[in-house]
Amino acid sequence: MSKTIYDEKRQYQADIIKEFAKNGVVERSAKYYDKNLAMDKEILLEFLKSTQEKELNALGLKGDEIISKINDYIIKNGILECLKNGVMINNTNLELVYNKESSGFNADLAQKYEKNKITIIQEVNADNENKERVDLVVFVNGVAFACMELKSNYSGQDYKDAIKQYKEDRNPQNRLFDNRLGAIVFFALDLHECYMTTKLEKFKTKFLAFNKGKGSGSETGAGNDEIEGKISNVWYLWEEVLVKDNIIDLIKNFIFDDKGVMIFPRYHQMDLVHKVKSDILKNSEYKNYLIQHSAGSGKTKSIAWLAYMLASLYKNGSVRYESVIIVTDRIVIDRQLQNEINKIKHQEGFIKALSDENSSRDLKDAIKNSVKIIISTIQKFSYIKDELKNFDTKCAVIIDEAHSSTSGSNMEALIDTLSSEFSAKNKPKNISLFGFTATPKASTLEIFGQKDIDGFYAPFHLYSMKQAIEEGYILNVLDNYTTYNTLYNIVLKSSDKEVEQNQAKRKIREIIKNNTDIIKSRVAVIAEHFAGSALLGGKAKAMVVCEDIESVIRYYYAFCEYCVGRYDFKPLIAFSGKKEVDGVEHSESEINGISEASLPSEFNKDERRVLFVANKYQTGFDQNKLCIMYVIKALSGITAVQTLSRLNRICPEFPHKTTFVLDFVNKFDDIMKSFEPYYTQTMLKDGIDMADLLDIDAKIDGYNILMPLEEKIVADAIFNKDDNTQKMVRPYFTKTITQINNLDDKHKIEFKGLLTNYKKIFLHLKIIFGDTFSDKLNNRYIFIEILLKQLINVNTSKENIDIDIGVINVQVLKDQTHTKENIKPDPVMEMSAFGSMEIGSNKLEKLSEIIKKINDNLSLNMEKNSQIQAIINISEQLLNSTKLQSGAKNNSKNDFTKLYNDEIDNILTDNYNDTQFGALYGQLLKNKTYINEIFTPLIDNIYDILEKR
């Protein structure tokens, strides 16, 4: 038998020892190891004498007696507690490890920290029979900290063999392997990958990936990169992880006990905290950070560890952040987040968690009193921004689900409350924002992202969906995806008559959505599929995702009716509030017969259950037995990813869990496209700037409804608010609403859209650049914000159309099944100014020529510029078409063209009676040549904007 070219014992192990030595780790002989204590007693006593000689002398005990007392205390309290907080002997506290001095003012502590000693021993015998020999053990001050089992791939073995060795040949009752009294962490590694655990329990032992990740950016995935000059791809273990500064940081600030299990950070969690800390210490300004961490990343723990680091961070001898504020957009504060933070370290008055029972005044008091860690919903800031506006306190703000929390007035209120004056670079002088999200929107990337060398906005730190799937922390919900077609015929049951086209389309769609035959046909497919899928030993759960609450109720009752006498699935329903359907009022608790708070635990029972939902439980619903989803709702973008990702939880009880999606509405390619931007790193090519706001501002001016002088009067009145303010400003809004109501339906919708976009862009720019607007723009924002709240009174005329149609020949047929198809990353987003389009001068010139031809040939008496505006109006309607938005995201440009041409016909038809341009639209409908000449040159612009929106 030929020898291996690289043996794990003689070569790999020896090389690792040499690498450890480069970082100050001293090798010790195995003869110094005490297997009954999992210690190198000589090193421990040496450390105690060099750092706490006075305390030792006061005790008056011999060396072995000291060790015996320390061991007694460890047995009573556990090794982690003793490493963190020391041991108590005869009312004298002895530290086993000294933490790093961070303020720069405690010279004695700094000296004692330097006395900490990391050592390593090869071939450690852990049992009395010397059969359980560990390749390498790393010690901190003589106390066993980490075990390493090595395998060389050249010997035909890998990390899986090391894991097998831990599971089969290591007795957890031996002191070194005792998860409470022995080593803290156990690594299994080969030349390429590394896995770890903190609890050995034979075959039930669960190992987690401890890899850096392979590739970067859009190429990231599981594993480790090949690095030239390194002996192994796992080089970071002895160069970054198991070195003095990091081991002590892990002990003091990361590792904690959770119901008898040592929680040790995964590599990306530790790396995030270290890189943020390094960047803050390196940069002088307060800046923003985007953390794109996938589901399955352990985000809650990452937030907790980051919060503690930021709360205790010193820079240049002073506290960097007086408070760390963790915000979420959930009305009920995330209990899991509170629990994790309290588990790591809890000091009285250090943490203030503001639940839904706490008021905004409690938040104000916590900020004013500089409570170190504050947890709050973002909504509370809107109530205190006027009282604490520009309150000059140094804050780190950690934002959970940043893609949904960082838009609108709540985020503006947070910035207004906490920020002092803005610096020259237009960033707050006193706030750092840390945004966590797995699915960053374009606006999130611009607010939090950092520009790379190519000018793209990119996340500061990444743990990708791809890596999480490949490492087994979440499932790929697209692995088993089946689409269904619903076929039917529509028949007119009354005499034909002329109706308004768009209203008729909406009415027909509503009739089809609620059609009993369609619902029954789909429910039959759902029930039979669920009955035939014996997953998780009969404990599997399913979810039916419906379009809206009315659909949820209709499908729920149809399902119950179908199952009578067939199946006992005990379906549940989830929706907020009350809903009237067919004259009967329904609520979730009334239908289920239990309280809303009880639903998650009821659904979790060991029964085959089906839950009917619309939007409720879209996020924050952690049900790992959920295996099947039935989709009866159009999904795209972030909504598709979040909705389907309800399925992605792994189930430790059933490690071979698989997922299935049956989709009655969407096409698989469309769903795939929704996942592509978020599969690896997400980046933004271009952001929004002031020119986009000025463009919308000019369009609003074109309506001649909002007047700068009136806006100024209202803004001044709001700024100097008193009891008479409402009476003073009301006439201006009454007048404005009257003018808007006098517009035709098309222009009402368009004008309200301009107001909404103005508000969105203004807030977006304010979050990025601060109060850098002119008085005119600022006054307009204040006016529009109040106006929009009153525009519920502005309605388009909706005639109640009576359409009597029937739906016959309903069939629900399987379309396509997709299995294990690879998601291809498409990481680059582009962001338009919420839908505006510029028509270039060359295209305008061509339009002028075409319009002249139309006038000459058709004898239309219209001004050229007016007709160009008419064409631009149609172009804006094309940009706002939901049909085209979906089509651009889900089709190639060639396939999009047919949708585009059909939509032009629809829009021209809808605008046929327009008093100003109706004649032009009518003539265009009769002359398709002119339509092609005018709109074909615009298709590229429209497609590009919609496809990347």
PDB file of all heavy atoms in Angstrom, residues 73 99 220 342 356 616:
ATOM      1  N   TYR A  73     -15.630  24.155  42.279  1.00  0.00           N
ATOM      2  CA  TYR A  73     -16.474  25.272  41.843  1.00  0.00           C
ATOM      3  C   TYR A  73     -16.956  25.060  40.404  1.00  0.00           C
ATOM      4  O   TYR A  73     -18.092  25.380  40.058  1.00  0.00           O
ATOM      5  CB  TYR A  73     -15.692  26.589  41.964  1.00  0.00           C
ATOM      6  CG  TYR A  73     -16.586  27.823  41.982  1.00  0.00           C
ATOM      7  CD1 TYR A  73     -17.140  28.264  43.182  1.00  0.00           C
ATOM      8  CD2 TYR A  73     -16.879  28.517  40.818  1.00  0.00           C
ATOM      9  CE1 TYR A  73     -17.953  29.378  43.219  1.00  0.00           C
ATOM     10  CE2 TYR A  73     -17.696  29.636  40.839  1.00  0.00           C
ATOM     11  CZ  TYR A  73     -18.240  30.060  42.039  1.00  0.00           C
ATOM     12  OH  TYR A  73     -19.063  31.158  42.075  1.00  0.00           O
ATOM     13  N   ASN A  99     -10.348  39.700  30.831  1.00  0.00           N
ATOM     14  CA  ASN A  99     -10.866  40.312  29.606  1.00  0.00           C
ATOM     15  C   ASN A  99      -9.971  41.468  29.170  1.00  0.00           C
ATOM     16  O   ASN A  99      -9.210  42.034  29.971  1.00  0.00           O
ATOM     17  CB  ASN A  99     -12.291  40.826  29.840  1.00  0.00           C
ATOM     18  CG  ASN A  99     -13.065  40.972  28.540  1.00  0.00           C
ATOM     19  OD1 ASN A  99     -12.546  40.678  27.459  1.00  0.00           O
ATOM     20  ND2 ASN A  99     -14.302  41.423  28.634  1.00  0.00           N
ATOM     21  N   THR A 220     -20.784  33.702  -4.176  1.00  0.00           N
ATOM     22  CA  THR A 220     -20.597  33.122  -2.855  1.00  0.00           C
ATOM     23  C   THR A 220     -21.387  31.825  -2.670  1.00  0.00           C
ATOM     24  O   THR A 220     -22.433  31.630  -3.263  1.00  0.00           O
ATOM     25  CB  THR A 220     -21.004  34.127  -1.757  1.00  0.00           C
ATOM     26  OG1 THR A 220     -20.660  33.600  -0.484  1.00  0.00           O
ATOM     27  CG2 THR A 220     -22.496  34.380  -1.782  1.00  0.00           C
ATOM     28  N   ASN A 342     -30.961  38.819  26.452  1.00  0.00           N
ATOM     29  CA  ASN A 342     -30.849  38.587  27.889  1.00  0.00           C
ATOM     30  C   ASN A 342     -30.013  37.354  28.227  1.00  0.00           C
ATOM     31  O   ASN A 342     -29.389  37.278  29.273  1.00  0.00           O
ATOM     32  CB  ASN A 342     -32.248  38.447  28.505  1.00  0.00           C
ATOM     33  CG  ASN A 342     -32.939  39.787  28.677  1.00  0.00           C
ATOM     34  OD1 ASN A 342     -32.295  40.774  29.014  1.00  0.00           O
ATOM     35  ND2 ASN A 342     -34.223  39.823  28.415  1.00  0.00           N
ATOM     36  N   ASP A 356     -45.237  45.974  23.492  1.00  0.00           N
ATOM     37  CA  ASP A 356     -46.421  46.700  23.050  1.00  0.00           C
ATOM     38  C   ASP A 356     -47.155  47.343  24.227  1.00  0.00           C
ATOM     39  O   ASP A 356     -47.983  48.237  24.026  1.00  0.00           O
ATOM     40  CB  ASP A 356     -47.367  45.754  22.297  1.00  0.00           C
ATOM     41  CG  ASP A 356     -47.603  44.454  23.052  1.00  0.00           C
ATOM     42  OD1 ASP A 356     -46.602  43.828  23.437  1.00  0.00           O
ATOM     43  OD2 ASP A 356     -48.773  44.076  23.250  1.00  0.00           O
ATOM     44  N   LYS A 616     -51.200  37.331   6.654  1.00  0.00           N
ATOM     45  CA  LYS A 616     -50.816  37.081   8.041  1.00  0.00           C
ATOM     46  C   LYS A 616     -49.802  35.940   8.111  1.00  0.00           C
ATOM     47  O   LYS A 616     -49.882  34.981   7.338  1.00  0.00           O
ATOM     48  CB  LYS A 616     -52.042  36.745   8.876  1.00  0.00           C
ATOM     49  CG  LYS A 616     -51.791  36.832  10.386  1.00  0.00           C
ATOM     50  CD  LYS A 616     -53.091  36.726  11.161  1.00  0.00           C
ATOM     51  CE  LYS A 616     -52.841  36.946  12.644  1.00  0.00           C
ATOM     52  NZ  LYS A 616     -54.076  36.840  13.442  1.00  0.00           N
TER      53      LYS A 616
END
